Amino acid sequence: MQENFSLKPFNTFGVEAKAKYFIEVNSVDELIETLKHAHSQTLPLLFLGGGSNILLTKDFDGLAIKLNLKGISEKALNENEVLVTAKAGENWHEFVMSCLNKNYGGLENLSLIPGNVGTSPMQNVGAYGTEIKDIFVDCKVLNLETLEIETFNLEKCRFGYRDSIFKQKGKGKYVILEVSFKLTSKIHSIKTEYGAIKSELENLGITNPTIQDISKAVINIRQSKLPDPKEIGNAGSFFKNPTIPLAHFENLKEQFPNIQGYPNENFVKVPAGWLIEQCGWKGKQIGNVASHKLQSLVIINATGNATGKEIFDFSTLIIDSVKEKFGIELDREVNIL
Ligand SMILES: Cc1cc2nc3c(=O)[nH]c(=O)nc-3n(C[C@H](O)[C@H](O)[C@H](O)COP(=O)(O)OP(=O)(O)OC[C@H]3O[C@@H](n4cnc5c(N)ncnc54)[C@H](O)[C@@H]3O)c2cc1C
């Protein structure tokens, strides 16, 4: 266990914050031993995956635990389905690639999302028309109070849009140890409808795409429009796309005829990026922080010297201006600490 430990290398915003204590654990037994110690000292806990969805606004007066649980296993379920289980510390994109190399389908639209497998259920990671709930079977978690291992199936996880029980009722109560997915091994379902996948496949000259082609197209699109955290500190989309009542949307449509929306019964999901852009934030920089020039939903540590507090304050200014112009309250997707 190390003391007064810099978390700068452990968050993709690249902001400085110190943890009072820090430890890396490589097995569930090590984790349990560590938690027993933390309980005896009543230390607050912070679990670290890839650090790609957290904003550290201050030093952490507790124990930060880096989860290095590794390993991937699989079991054939039938002629066309395989159950693949990955431990929490596996890198998400490497896991996706290892499945694609075996021609297992279901994860291809989720290529190149930063972070670890163990964090994927936290916000039901999603991209390009797929969310993990579409292929999720269950996850094993450690109950932080009882230190017993429990299994959470799809229903128990209560997945929603960038949401799960782990961000709601179960927040701070469990640590995810491993996640199991049901993937196809022969006949795959190809999803090309969302975003620019079709046009990117056309660019690549592909008419009959495989799951590997979909992954390639998604990687190309992501690399062309999202900043690489290794080069510019960021945590991807900072805000969720808000869902507003249909009547509110119709009102806005009269004032802003170009507003886009995706209706669902009496509600409409509105792209947060468009709202932010309309408020003049795209590419705008204040001090060390900016909204990305290609994707206004992404807040960046523009100079590399931003503090978490500066980034948080910048996000508050965006929330306030969207609220003032459209009467819509944006929710932060990133976990604030
Ligand atoms: C460039 C970029 C693009 C992105 N694109 C997408 C996208 O398309 N779709 C999407 O959904 N997300 C996206 N994200 C956000 C992020 O990659 C995902 O949310 C990812 O799942 C976070 O994983 P992580 O391991 O880095 O989480 P961390 O940031 O390490 O942790 C996030 C939260 O989960 C907690 N935590 C971590 N591990 C565990 C565990 N095992 N058990 C319990 N709690 C835990 C942490 O304490 C923290 O509160 C993007 C981020 C970046 C930087």
Side-chain angles (χ1 to χ4, degrees), residues 133-322:
K133 73 168 173 47
D134 303 334
I135 51 227
F136 178 91
V137 174
D138 59 28
C139 58
K140 292 234 166 7
V141 305
L142 190 72
N143 182 319
L144 293 173
E145 203 180 297
T146 62
L147 299 186
E148 299 282 331
I149 293 177
E150 298 176 22
T151 301
F152 275 49
N153 64 13
L154 185 65
E155 195 189 342
K156 212 168 164 189
C157 283
R158 295 179 176 268
F159 290 128
Y161 162 63
R162 301 288 188 273
D163 202 16
S164 75
I165 189 160
F166 304 111
K167 285 185 93 172
Q168 303 293 339
K169 235 174 86 188
K171 192 172 175 179
K173 293 190 178 155
Y174 306 96
V175 53
I176 300 163
L177 304 174
E178 62 177 47
V179 191
S180 295
F181 302 96
K182 195 197 277 182
L183 304 177
T184 48
S185 52
K186 281 195 181 123
I187 304 159
H188 306 300
S189 142
I190 302 283
K191 290 190 192 167
T192 58
E193 308 75 39
Y194 196 92
I197 297 185
K198 267 190 192 143
S199 60
E200 182 57 27
L201 289 168
E202 271 170 38
N203 288 345
L204 294 169
I206 295 164
T207 46
N208 195 9
T210 61
I211 49 175
Q212 290 79 9
D213 294 331
I214 299 287
S215 168
K216 178 86 190 123
V218 167
I219 290 172
N220 286 357
I221 301 165
R222 294 184 72 100
Q223 283 176 334
S224 70
K225 62 173 219 180
L226 284 172
D228 180 350
K230 286 189 194 110
E231 287 158 20
I232 308 174
N234 77 90
S237 303
F238 199 92
F239 303 99
K240 294 187 195 179
N241 292 316
T243 298
I244 60 172
L246 183 61
H248 185 174
F249 181 77
E250 281 169 352
N251 245 326
L252 289 174
K253 186 95 188 157
E254 280 176 21
Q255 292 175 64
F256 308 97
N258 292 335
I259 191 169
Q260 301 151 34
Y262 303 92
N264 186 359
E265 293 176 1
N266 289 329
F267 290 89
V268 181
K269 192 189 267 188
V270 183
W274 187 86
L275 299 170
I276 296 168
E277 208 174 319
Q278 296 306 304
C279 294
W281 285 100
K282 195 172 186 177
K284 190 168 171 176
Q285 182 166 344
I286 300 179
N288 294 306
V289 186
S291 158
H292 191 252
K293 61 180 187 301
L294 298 179
Q295 175 52 273
S296 55
L297 204 48
V298 177
I299 297 182
I300 57 171
N301 179 353
T303 60
N305 296 320
T307 63
K309 167 96 173 45
E310 271 180 285
I311 294 171
F312 183 82
D313 290 348
F314 187 91
S315 72
T316 305
L317 292 175
I318 292 181
I319 291 173
D320 290 348
S321 66
V322 169

Side-chain angles (χ1 to χ4, degrees), residues 10 12 46-54 67 88 112-120 122-128 162 174-177 222 226-229 234-237 333 335 337:
F10 294 91
T12 60
L46 168 63
F47 294 101
L48 297 167
S52 65
N53 205 16
I54 44 170
L67 295 162
L112 211 63
I113 297 180
N116 288 356
V117 171
T119 330
S120 61
M122 290 291 292
Q123 68 161 14
N124 176 26
V125 292
Y128 296 94
R162 301 288 188 273
Y174 306 96
V175 53
I176 300 163
L177 304 174
R222 294 184 72 100
L226 284 172
D228 180 350
N234 77 90
S237 303
E333 179 183 315
N335 298 280
L337 288 143

